[in-house]
Amino acid sequence: MRFRAAFADLTGEERELVYDFVRRFFAHLETKKYKLHVRVFLSRYRGYALCPECKGARLRKEALYVRVGGRNLAEVVRLNIAEARSSSTRWRSSRKKPPSPRRSWWRSASG
């Protein structure tokens, strides 16, 4: 006789048993990853979720505070080559160069 129940209807102890079984089952499959069909099976059940903090950037939130041309580092890294080239040209041309300390000293001394 088969007994079927929703996971939400199980008791805490029964949930723990199911969780432990599933964990051991996938741990066993990890030892068989050299087989193609096992890798395919594992890839179907592997969950890919975006991190709520970095939104998939894989950077610490402090690194995302750094901005280049109005974009954070994750956005800069995602640019394709053509976008990066045109953006870097704009960034270089819009950057104001500080005056050289020698020139400003020379002007004030000669002046």
Side-chain angles (χ1 to χ4, degrees):
M1 182 167 106
R2 293 181 132 183
F3 176 75
R4 293 184 184 194
F7 189 77
D9 296 337
L10 298 177
T11 66
E13 186 178 318
E14 291 169 335
R15 287 183 188 182
E16 193 62 37
L17 282 172
V18 170
Y19 177 73
D20 187 49
F21 174 79
V22 169
R23 235 178 13 149
R24 283 188 288 126
F25 174 70
F26 280 101
H28 170 71
L29 286 179
E30 288 289 329
T31 65
K32 307 288 183 187
K33 278 198 308 191
Y34 61 91
K35 298 179 179 182
L36 179 64
H37 67 280
V38 173
R39 287 196 307 268
V40 170
F41 178 81
L42 286 172
S43 70
R44 287 183 180 177
Y45 292 98
R46 194 169 287 133
Y48 296 100
L50 291 180
C51 170
E53 280 191 29
C54 71
K55 310 263 189 303
R58 296 181 181 209
L59 295 170
R60 291 181 15 201
K61 65 180 179 180
E62 294 85 4
L64 294 174
Y65 294 144
V66 176
R67 293 215 167 287
V68 178
R71 296 178 176 171
N72 68 27
L73 288 181
E75 294 168 338
V76 171
V77 171
R78 285 189 201 119
L79 294 175
N80 65 35
I81 294 172
E83 292 171 335
R85 175 179 262 170
S86 68
S87 295
S88 68
T89 305
R90 276 183 285 157
W91 296 332
R92 275 190 248 132
S93 64
S94 68
R95 190 173 57 187
K96 293 180 182 175
K97 295 178 183 168
S100 169
R102 278 192 212 154
R103 288 186 181 181
S104 61
W105 173 83
W106 182 256
R107 285 184 189 144
S108 63
S110 62

